[in-house]
Amino acid sequence: MRNPRFANALAGIPQDIPPIWFMRQAGRYHSHYRNLKEKYSFLELCKNPELAAEVALGPVREFGFDVSILFSDILFPLEALGMGLDYNPGPMLSFRLDSEKDLLKLRSGPEAIFQLEFQKKAMLLTREVLPKETSLIGFLGGPWTLYTYASSGKHDGNLTHSKVNSGLASGFFEMIIPLLLENLRLQLEGGAELVMIFDTAAGDLSPDYFKEYVAKPLQTIVSRFPGKVGYYAKGTTEHQLNLIRNTEGLAGFGVDHRFSMEELLKGGYSRGFLQGNFDQSLLFLPKEEFKKALLNYLKPIKRLTKEERKGWVSGLGHGVLQGTPESNIKEMIATIREEFHVSA
């Protein structure tokens, strides 16, 4: 682990100032990214390792995040399987999986993994350009979320399990999980210290479906790489989080802004790191109102002891939203470090 604060959080070592990283910290809100986007397409920025490294470096250089994350997209494993992928502007696959016979259109795992080598190269180059004290993590889409995309062919704002077909889902999982394991291996070989699984659609699932299509596959993945995998799903319930936290070997997980970080930390809810969870929409408030909201959020967390706060990775409930004022990003990072430095 390159960043001492991040290393402490993953190891459960008490500390005063938490590490800070935001989901989507390299993205459309940032002028650095927008300037690059004027010259290159999203696919070019992801698939050209030099450009991907430059995008990832931008927010670290400007805002001083403790952790950087691979600049890529969760849907590339679907493209690697043979589902053509384009962004216009949102993701569109060339076809969708409608029945079990559609699985015959997909490439085998050994053929598909070669299509993802660019992520390893992007990792290597990102590690080269980052400051030596900045940690680097990778990410994958969760199997269930990738299934919802594959069965709908696009993201229309409604990633639910309405299209679930148990035979199709089982067949898809038999193909995607081995590929994700190889994808995870590639990212670790490229220098990732941890790989997050982002499962955008998992929070919509009923308890039984969550156990079958999220918790079980997650345990399979984590068992291959214990201590190297984290998890995040938006909109999860306490029951779902209990299933996740009991995943043997999981490095930790993130929670959205619907949970009380104070209560989760105080209750020793995570055996590893616990990432989150300031409401990202509050970053749009005028400066003084934003600062007040942030201090109100931090106040109960500051009351906890260092022992109770161990494992906390400070971040947002979800990712940085498009149009978020850069000045509030900078203010949030500075305020967190100032507040917990004073309390030390």
Side-chain angles (χ1 to χ4, degrees):
M1 294 293 167
R2 296 296 186 98
N3 183 268
R5 292 171 184 161
F6 190 54
N8 287 341
L10 267 63
I13 298 173
Q15 59 188 339
D16 294 307
I17 302 173
I20 302 170
W21 72 269
F22 295 168
M23 286 180 276
R24 290 204 302 264
Q25 65 190 29
R28 293 177 293 175
Y29 80 98
H30 195 200
S31 56
H32 173 74
Y33 173 83
R34 293 197 304 273
N35 290 337
L36 288 169
K37 192 65 168 56
E38 289 180 3
K39 302 176 185 177
Y40 306 100
S41 69
F42 176 71
L43 284 174
E44 287 174 318
L45 292 175
C46 290
K47 292 191 171 185
N48 181 310
E50 289 82 4
L51 291 174
E54 176 59 27
V55 175
L57 174 63
V60 172
R61 185 167 49 201
E62 181 164 356
F63 304 117
F65 287 104
D66 294 291
V67 182
S68 182
I69 189 165
L70 171 71
F71 185 77
S72 197
D73 192 79
I74 66 170
L75 298 183
F76 289 133
L78 296 183
E79 183 186 42
L81 286 173
M83 304 186 78
L85 176 64
D86 198 9
Y87 293 82
N88 191 28
M92 294 286 295
L93 297 165
S94 58
F95 64 92
R96 69 184 184 90
L97 302 181
D98 191 48
S99 65
E100 292 176 61
K101 66 180 180 181
D102 290 327
L103 296 172
L104 299 175
K105 302 176 184 178
L106 304 181
R107 293 189 184 105
S108 67
E111 290 181 277
I113 193 59
F114 288 109
Q115 308 296 319
L116 296 167
E117 285 282 346
F118 70 91
Q119 289 191 338
K120 179 178 178 179
K121 295 175 183 176
M123 274 288 188
L124 289 166
L125 288 180
T126 303
R127 180 66 273 166
E128 284 184 16
V129 301
L130 287 174
K132 64 179 182 179
E133 69 277 6
T134 303
S135 280
L136 175 61
I137 65 174
F139 71 93
L140 300 171
W144 175 256
T145 293
L146 292 177
Y147 172 76
T148 64
Y149 273 105
S151 61
S152 63
K154 60 182 179 178
H155 181 9
D156 57 7
N158 186 32
L159 288 175
T160 71
H161 62 279
S162 59
K163 298 181 178 67
V164 70
N165 169 317
S166 59
L168 176 60
S170 297
F172 176 78
F173 274 46
E174 288 177 8
M175 300 186 75
I176 199 65
I177 291 176
L179 180 58
L180 291 178
L181 286 168
E182 287 301 295
N183 195 180
L184 199 158
R185 176 185 59 79
L186 279 180
Q187 293 189 24
L188 291 173
E189 288 178 354
E193 300 167 28
L194 176 80
V195 175
M196 288 292 295
I197 291 180
F198 293 136
D199 219 358
T200 312
D204 292 328
L205 289 169
S206 64
D208 287 343
Y209 273 69
F210 190 90
K211 185 175 183 178
E212 179 68 24
Y213 293 112
V214 176
K216 286 184 179 180
L218 179 63
Q219 184 65 76
T220 298
I221 294 170
V222 172
S223 295
R224 282 280 300 276
F225 299 96
K228 291 294 184 179
V229 180
Y231 182 84
Y232 172 85
K234 182 172 63 174
T236 48
T237 64
E238 186 170 350
H239 172 75
Q240 290 168 337
L241 280 189
N242 274 320
L243 289 174
I244 295 303
R245 72 187 289 256
N246 289 322
T247 302
E248 191 67 34
L250 189 71
F253 58 90
V255 293
D256 67 25
H257 60 278
R258 296 169 181 85
F259 287 88
S260 164
M261 183 57 69
E262 175 201 15
E263 292 178 7
L264 293 179
L265 288 170
K266 191 172 183 179
Y269 203 80
S270 177
R271 290 180 291 182
F273 74 85
L274 187 60
Q275 192 265 344
N277 69 338
F278 183 72
D279 185 346
Q280 56 283 329
S281 65
L282 299 180
L283 283 159
F284 286 88
L285 291 171
K287 182 177 179 179
E288 293 306 317
E289 291 182 51
F290 159 70
K291 184 70 174 288
K292 181 179 179 181
L294 177 59
L295 291 174
N296 284 339
Y297 165 79
L298 295 175
K299 187 175 180 180
I301 302 175
K302 283 183 64 180
R303 288 197 294 259
L304 302 177
T305 65
K306 284 196 297 184
E307 176 68 25
E308 290 171 325
R309 292 202 313 270
K310 69 181 181 183
W312 182 36
V313 178
S314 184
L316 304 176
H318 193 230
V320 185
L321 300 173
Q322 184 178 7
T324 297
E326 293 180 36
S327 59
N328 281 350
I329 296 286
K330 188 172 295 186
E331 180 69 20
M332 180 171 175
I333 294 170
T335 298
I336 291 168
R337 289 175 178 157
E338 288 168 4
E339 287 297 305
F340 287 95
H341 178 72
V342 170
S343 68

